Amino acid sequence: MPARRRTSLALLAHLCVSLASAASYSVVDYGAVADGRTDCAGAFLRAWAAACGTEGEGPAAVVVPAGEFLVSRARFSGPCRSGAVAVSIAGTVLAPVPYAGAQLWIVFQNVDGVSVIGGTLDGRGQAYWACRRAGGGSSCPAATRSLTIYRSRNVVIQGLTSVNSAGIHVTVQASTGVAIVDTVVSAPGDSPNTDGIHIKQSSDITIRNAVVGTGDDCISMVEGSSDVWIQGVTCGPGHGISIGSLGDTPEQVAVRNITVKAVTLAGTTNGLRIKSWAKANSGLVDGVAFSDVVMRNVRNPIIVDQNYCPGNVSCPTEGSGIKITNVSYTDVEGTSATPVAVRFNCSPSQPCTGITMRNVWLGYGERRRAAESFCRNAYGVAYGHVVPPSCLAHQEMFCYK
Ligand SMILES: *[C@@H]1O[C@H](CO)[C@@H](O)[C@H](O)[C@H]1NC(C)=O
Ligand SMILES: *[C@@H]1O[C@H](CO)[C@@H](O)[C@H](O)[C@H]1NC(C)=O
Ligand SMILES: *[C@@H]1O[C@H](CO)[C@@H](O)[C@H](O)[C@H]1NC(C)=O
């Protein structure tokens, strides 16, 4: 196992072992009432302050017992004198209804060595989605994101269940060393912009064993995501596992070294997607390895779309300036819900290069009729059994094995 990934998992083991002996602060002792109606935000924050301020050996613990706790909004800030804090949640934390329209609901920021073990977060986004579905658009407030890890290091989220977030369920931003393991994300397939796990400007991120069904990307990675390891994810309904959208604005930071392994996509709109706006803004996607992937009835199983420009507004003639290189698809099998199972629609100004396909078998429909590949400005090589046959163009500079 790579050294840096070991950090967060070792931290998890350490916290689990020492949880029992650590100083522990129950939110109930700070005034929380498990009636689902009393706002417990103050009690949660006081318990956090106590744990975070504890000096001593081993992590301090915040304990949320079983029951339903309404929390209007909470921002848990570090750095902590205790060094590490374990937040152990047995119950369910409820977001307020009607929605307050805050951008963020529960936030951990500037922390180093926090683990959140267990718990259900219920974002109760139904009323907000209704506003969006009714065409409310800009008159609806911000889509509140349920859980955000911001400017933090060495964070473990283990055994979290996040349901019905109004917006993105879990966001990791400007952080390093975050492990999200044994997670369940659940929201309806038609709930708008409810991405499961969203990564931005962060590195050394592990997502392992997640079951995600939602209304947008199951996992999305945007600018500045690097050294990301995703393994053992089931996605559906949803929009798949996505890199992007990139290139909407200038000042893009690269997306690098992404591993996606042992994932199943079922009934999703996309499977493995890389997407950038058809705008000249420069940027880079370098080093993405997809392997051991099962697709079941996925509309666009493998897709690179560099010509994204909804409604042709503000980008109709530009090619994407995002360079996409060194992307591999290994051992991908299953069914496509549309005839085009593989689509590399790359930029005329920045063609995709170094694409590798190795043992890909995708058929159209349950009976696996012959599917097609589509390539535009896409360079690379195919090895082994690749069905539908690759349409990647060969590149002179490319080294053959
Ligand atoms: C790529 O990321 C993984 C973690 O996902 C890390 O272990 C590995 O060292 C990284 N590779 C490079 C070349 O940085
Ligand atoms: C391609 O990306 C992988 C990570 O996915 C990395 O290990 C490898 O070194 C890269 N190869 C080149 C030629 O850059
Ligand atoms: C956008 O513009 C392109 C090129 O001019 C055209 O082929 C395409 O049909 C247009 N799409 C829409 C949705 O207007």
Side-chain angles (χ1 to χ4, degrees), residues 1-5 204-206 226-230 256-259:
M1 195 184 286
R4 273 191 296 168
R5 207 147 44 85
D204 189 16
I205 309 300
T206 302
S226 64
D227 302 335
V228 178
W229 188 279
I230 295 168
R256 282 182 203 274
N257 185 22
I258 311 294
T259 303

Side-chain angles (χ1 to χ4, degrees), residues 207-219:
I207 298 171
R208 196 186 285 269
N209 299 340
V211 177
V212 182
T214 193
D216 206 308
D217 296 330
C218 289
I219 298 176

Side-chain angles (χ1 to χ4, degrees), residues 25-48 62-72 74 76 88-94:
Y25 304 87
S26 169
V27 294
V28 171
D29 295 335
Y30 289 86
V33 182
D35 62 1
R37 301 205 330 244
T38 307
D39 185 2
C40 302
F44 274 54
L45 289 170
R46 287 189 292 274
W48 167 265
V62 172
V63 175
V64 180
E68 294 191 329
F69 297 90
L70 173 67
V71 171
S72 53
F76 302 105
S88 163
I89 310 174
T92 297
V93 184
L94 300 176

Side-chain angles (χ1 to χ4, degrees), residues 257-259 286-289 325-328:
N257 185 22
I258 311 294
T259 303
D286 183 1
V288 183
T325 188
N326 186 16
V327 180
S328 63

Side-chain angles (χ1 to χ4, degrees), residues 138-365:
S138 53
S139 69
C140 303
T144 308
R145 299 180 179 195
S146 280
L147 176 64
T148 301
I149 308 299
Y150 184 61
R151 288 187 186 273
S152 293
R153 309 171 65 87
N154 302 314
V155 173
V156 174
I157 309 289
Q158 194 208 6
L160 173 76
T161 299
S162 178
V163 302
N164 297 336
S165 176
I168 295 172
H169 284 80
V170 178
T171 303
V172 177
Q173 185 171 348
S175 296
T176 59
V178 178
I180 300 175
V181 294
D182 304 336
T183 310
V184 174
V185 171
S186 171
D190 64 350
S191 55
N193 305 124
T194 51
D195 296 44
I197 300 171
H198 180 71
I199 301 170
K200 181 172 181 173
Q201 296 152 345
S202 295
S203 62
D204 189 16
I205 309 300
T206 302
I207 298 171
R208 196 186 285 269
N209 299 340
V211 177
V212 182
T214 193
D216 206 308
D217 296 330
C218 289
I219 298 176
S220 53
M221 291 161 268
V222 296
E223 68 268 17
S225 299
S226 64
D227 302 335
V228 178
W229 188 279
I230 295 168
Q231 183 167 6
V233 174
T234 300
C235 168
H239 295 182
I241 295 178
S242 291
I243 294 172
S245 306
L246 301 171
D248 186 18
T249 56
E251 299 162 61
Q252 294 281 319
V253 187
V255 172
R256 282 182 203 274
N257 185 22
I258 311 294
T259 303
V260 177
K261 203 178 163 85
V263 298
T264 297
L265 299 118
T268 53
T269 54
N270 303 292
L272 310 171
R273 174 168 66 166
I274 303 176
K275 177 169 137 187
S276 72
W277 285 75
K279 294 185 178 184
N281 298 321
S282 63
L284 179 68
V285 175
D286 183 1
V288 183
F290 297 107
S291 65
D292 304 325
V293 180
V294 176
M295 307 270 185
R296 295 283 171 246
N297 191 34
V298 173
R299 289 188 62 80
N300 303 295
I302 291 178
I303 179 166
V304 174
D305 178 8
Q306 288 207 271
N307 297 293
Y308 180 62
C309 186
N312 276 353
V313 179
S314 79
C315 50
T317 58
E318 296 174 66
S320 169
I322 306 287
K323 171 137 202 68
I324 297 176
T325 188
N326 186 16
V327 180
S328 63
Y329 302 85
T330 306
D331 298 324
V332 178
E333 74 90 15
T335 57
S336 172
T338 66
V340 180
V342 177
R343 184 183 289 275
F344 294 115
N345 183 6
C346 297
S347 164
S349 54
Q350 282 289 6
C352 299
T353 58
I355 297 178
T356 306
M357 303 185 79
R358 195 185 298 264
N359 300 331
V360 172
W361 181 35
L362 294 165
Y364 169 36

